C-alpha cells in the first residue's frame, strides 16, 4: 500500500501501473453490507458484481486517455480507481490539439463499449430475460455524457479548455474553463443535494481541483513570462508540477473531510 496516496497496487496493465484507493474498498464493502442487511446476500453479491463491472468500464475509460497520450509521446504515470471514478496521472500537455484528442478518447471508449454491448444486451434481454448487459449499456452512455459536462478539470472542461487554447493563451483558456466549471459544480452540487449525494462530492472535487490547477498554471505563467504573455505561447508543466497539484488536492480533501 502506498502510504502517501492510501492506494493499493493492482498491477501493471498495458504498460501502466494501476492502483485502487482504499476508499474504493470501503465504498464497495458498505454497499455490500447495506444490501445484505436490507435485501439479502444474493442480491448484495449481484450489486457488488455489477459495480465491479462498472469500474472495469471506468478503468477502460482511463486507458483511453492514457494509451492515446502514450501514442503522442506524453508520459503516463499511473491510473488510480476511487469511489467517484478514475484518475489518470498524465503529464500536462502543451499542445491543445493533442490535449483535445487525449481527453476525448475517454468518453469515446464508453461510447464504443455501449455500441459493442448493445446487440448482446438486446438478445439477452429478449431471449433470456437477462438485463445486466442493458444496464451496462446505459451506464456507459451515462459515463460518456457525464464526462462531457464542461466542468473543468473533468473531460468536458478539458475539451473546452483545449478548444479555447487554440485562440488564446493556456492561462486565459483555463480561467474561462474554470469559470464555466464553477457554475457546473454549483448546479451539480444543488442537484446532488436532492438526488444523489455522490454528485456533491464530485462538485466539491471539481471546484477545488479546477482552482488548484488554475493556480498552478498562473504560477508557471508568471515564472515563464514575468513581463506578460501575448497569448501566442503554450506552457509546458513537468510531472513534478502535477504531483505537487495532487498533493495539494489531497491536503485539501483531508483538511475538509
Amino acid at each position: 500500500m502506498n502510504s502517501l496516496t492510501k492506494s493499493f497496487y493492482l498491477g501493471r496493465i498495458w504498460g501502466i501501473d494501476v492502483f485502487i484507493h482504499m476508499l474504493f474498498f470501503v465504498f464497495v464493502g458498505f454497499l455490500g453490507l447495506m444490501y445484505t442487511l436490507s435485501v439479502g446476500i444474493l442480491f448484495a453479491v449481484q450489486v457488488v458484481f455489477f459495480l465491479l463491472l462498472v469500474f472495469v468500464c471506468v478503468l477502460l475509460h482511463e486507458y483511453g486517455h492514457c494509451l492515446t497520450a502514450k501514442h503522442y509521446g506524453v508520459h503516463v504515470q499511473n491510473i488510480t480507481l476511487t469511489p467517484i471514478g478514475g484518475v489518470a496521472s498524465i503529464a500536462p500537455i502543451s499542445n491543445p490539439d493533442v490535449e483535445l484528442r487525449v481527453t476525448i478518447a475517454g468518453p469515446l471508449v464508453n461510447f464504443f463499449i455501449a455500441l459493442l454491448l448493445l446487440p448482446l444486451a438486446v438478445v439477452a434481454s429478449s431471449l433470456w430475460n437477462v438485463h445486466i448487459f442493458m444496464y451496462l449499456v446505459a451506464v456507459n452512455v451515462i459515463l460518456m455524457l457525464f464526462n462531457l459536462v464542461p466542468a473543468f478539470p473533468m473531460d468536458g472542461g478539458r475539451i473546452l479548455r483545449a478548444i479555447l487554447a487554440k485562440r488564446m493563451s493556456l492561462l486565459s483558456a483555463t480561467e474561462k474553463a474554470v469559470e464555466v466549471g464553477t457554475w457546473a459544480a454549483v448546479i451539480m452540487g444543488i442537484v446532488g443535494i436532492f438526488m444523489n449525494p455522490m454528485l456533491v462530492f464530485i462538485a466539491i472535487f471539481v471546484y477545488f481541483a479546477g482552482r488548484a490547477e488554475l493556480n498552478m498554471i498562473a504560477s508557471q505563467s508568471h515564472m515563464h513570462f514575468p513581463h506578460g504573455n501575448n497569448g501566442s505561447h503554450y506552457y509546458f508543466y513537468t510531472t513534478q508540477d502535477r504531483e505537487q497539484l495532487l498533493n495539494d488536492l489531497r491536503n485539501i480533501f483531508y483538511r475538509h473531510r
Side-chain angles (χ1 to χ4, degrees):
M1 176 178 174
N2 188 318
S3 58
L4 178 62
T5 62
K6 295 181 173 56
S7 301
F8 295 89
Y9 181 64
L10 180 63
R12 189 172 180 84
I13 306 172
W14 294 332
I16 301 170
D17 292 328
V18 179
F19 293 86
I20 301 180
H21 197 279
M22 69 173 189
L23 290 179
F24 176 86
F25 298 103
V26 174
F27 176 66
V28 173
F30 172 77
L31 284 182
L33 178 62
M34 183 180 68
Y35 280 108
T36 298
L37 296 176
S38 60
V39 183
I41 189 169
L42 181 60
F43 186 77
V45 169
Q46 293 174 340
V47 169
V48 170
F49 177 69
F50 179 74
L51 186 63
L52 293 177
L53 290 179
V54 170
F55 272 90
V56 169
C57 296
V58 171
L59 181 60
L60 292 175
H61 172 106
E62 299 303 329
Y63 266 102
H65 293 309
C66 293
L67 294 179
T68 305
K70 292 183 71 172
H71 173 76
Y72 287 102
V74 179
H75 175 69
V76 176
Q77 187 169 355
N78 57 56
I79 296 172
T80 302
L81 292 177
T82 75
I84 61 173
V87 178
S89 295
I90 300 174
I93 302 169
S94 57
N95 187 318
D97 288 319
V98 173
E99 181 179 38
L100 182 61
R101 292 166 187 167
V102 169
T103 304
I104 205 169
L108 278 177
V109 168
N110 295 119
F111 171 77
F112 284 114
I113 291 175
L115 196 63
L116 290 173
L117 286 177
L118 185 58
L120 178 60
V122 172
V123 172
S125 297
S126 58
L127 296 183
W128 308 315
N129 199 31
V130 175
H131 304 294
I132 187 171
F133 299 109
M134 191 63 76
Y135 296 151
L136 282 175
V137 169
V139 164
N140 276 279
V141 171
I142 292 171
L143 285 174
M144 178 188 68
L145 296 177
F146 182 73
N147 275 281
L148 291 177
V149 172
F152 188 86
M154 290 174 56
D155 291 346
R158 292 194 179 278
I159 290 172
L160 174 62
R161 197 263 298 271
I163 293 173
L164 293 174
K166 295 181 180 182
R167 300 171 174 82
M168 60 186 70
S169 70
L170 184 61
L171 176 58
S172 298
T174 305
E175 288 174 340
K176 293 184 181 299
V178 168
E179 183 178 352
V180 174
T182 298
W183 284 106
V186 170
I187 295 172
M188 196 182 303
I190 294 173
V191 172
I193 291 173
F194 296 100
M195 296 184 61
N196 188 340
M198 188 66 70
L199 288 176
V200 177
F201 290 103
I202 296 175
I204 293 172
F205 169 79
V206 166
Y207 181 84
F208 283 110
R211 272 161 173 69
E213 186 159 344
L214 175 59
N215 290 337
M216 182 186 73
I217 291 175
S219 175
Q220 291 290 330
S221 174
H222 179 72
M223 290 173 59
H224 290 297
F225 300 97
H227 302 295
N229 177 29
N230 61 10
S232 61
H233 297 84
Y234 298 109
Y235 312 104
F236 181 79
Y237 308 99
T238 65
T239 303
Q240 287 76 16
D241 294 328
R242 176 60 62 88
E243 287 303 308
Q244 182 61 49
L245 170 62
L246 292 176
N247 287 332
D248 291 342
L249 290 177
R250 293 187 194 106
N251 292 334
I252 290 171
F253 173 78
Y254 288 111
R255 192 182 306 126
H256 289 84
R257 66 176 181 171

